[in-house]
Amino acid sequence: MAVEQTTRRVTKRRVRTRANLLDAAFAVFAAKGFGRVSIEEVCEAAGYSRGAFYSNFDSLDELFFALYRQRADLIAEQVAEALALDGPELDVPASVDRVTEVLLLDVDWLLVKTDFLVHAARDPAVAHTLLEHRRRLRRAIEDRLGRATGRTALPAVLGGVDGAARAVVAAYDGVTTQLLLDKDVEHARVWLGQLLTALLTDGSGTPE
């Protein structure tokens, strides 16, 4: 019994250490950019030794990819939850407001994601991870739009639910590029809301 309790304590401590390393790495990567950060800097920010680092990750690359997957999964879940709040009818302005709040909440995440995109452009294995995240976002949007089919008409030019979901992600990509330069979250959120509403309706339901 004592051995089991010790094992549980060790496991919990390791989980906590890993989580703290990921949180510290997020702040350091956002501030300096991947490729300009050392293991020592991550350890210092987290308050751990190199031994604690290597007991959780084999390399800085592995930590970076784990961090990306953790944050990307969280964003996908938040988008899915935001879109699940409506009933059978799709309230486009309300859904857009909730989604833009989730997607534009954190400029630091956009910096880390952009670093990941640069790596993905040069490495097929990394690209697979990024593409899977984008597919998860699209699936969440497709699922919500699909459940509203027959009750809420989408513009025919989008070619159906799949095209509408791709248009939403493309609009997000465009707005966040500007956001990374001017750091104006509030205007970016309004702009994205206007774009998504225009894409998914005839444009008459512009969010307030």
Side-chain angles (χ1 to χ4, degrees):
M1 184 67 175
V3 173
E4 291 180 2
Q5 290 176 337
T6 300
T7 301
R8 282 197 295 269
R9 283 197 298 271
V10 170
T11 300
K12 288 180 180 179
R13 185 166 62 248
R14 181 168 183 175
V15 169
R16 185 167 59 249
T17 299
R18 181 183 175 88
N20 289 340
L21 283 166
L22 287 170
D23 287 344
F26 180 79
V28 176
F29 285 138
K32 300 188 68 172
F34 184 70
R36 297 184 176 88
V37 173
S38 67
I39 291 175
E40 287 77 11
E41 286 174 300
V42 173
C43 291
E44 182 180 353
Y48 292 121
S49 66
R50 286 175 64 93
F53 178 93
Y54 283 115
S55 70
N56 286 274
F57 302 101
D58 291 334
S59 66
L60 206 56
D61 280 16
E62 183 184 342
L63 180 148
F64 184 58
F65 299 154
L67 171 65
Y68 178 83
R69 286 191 294 269
Q70 178 200 62
R71 298 283 172 150
D73 287 349
L74 175 61
I75 294 293
E77 289 169 9
Q78 289 175 329
V79 169
E81 289 171 3
L83 290 171
L85 294 177
D86 287 331
E89 299 287 348
L90 177 62
D91 184 339
V92 171
S95 292
V96 164
D97 281 347
R98 290 195 299 270
V99 169
T100 56
E101 184 70 25
V102 170
L103 288 176
L104 286 170
L105 196 58
D106 193 348
V107 173
D108 283 348
W109 159 244
L110 298 178
L111 289 167
V112 171
K113 190 180 77 164
T114 300
D115 272 350
F116 201 80
L117 174 62
V118 171
H119 282 274
R122 296 185 174 95
D123 188 327
V126 180
H128 177 77
T129 299
L130 180 60
L131 288 169
E132 178 54 34
H133 167 55
R134 293 172 71 83
R135 278 192 291 270
R136 286 193 62 186
L137 278 177
R138 288 203 308 271
R139 282 197 296 268
I141 297 166
E142 288 171 7
D143 178 67
R144 183 65 193 93
L145 295 176
R147 285 185 283 116
T149 300
R151 298 182 178 88
T152 304
L154 295 171
V157 69
L158 295 177
V161 169
D162 177 70
R166 290 178 181 276
V168 168
V169 175
Y172 172 60
D173 287 341
V175 171
T176 52
T177 297
Q178 180 67 29
L179 174 58
L180 281 172
L181 297 175
D182 62 25
K183 304 297 190 296
D184 191 341
V185 176
E186 292 311 311
H187 279 91
R189 185 173 289 121
V190 171
W191 186 24
L192 181 60
Q194 292 169 341
L195 280 175
L196 295 184
T197 299
L199 280 169
L200 298 177
T201 68
D202 60 5
S204 62
T206 303
E208 296 180 0

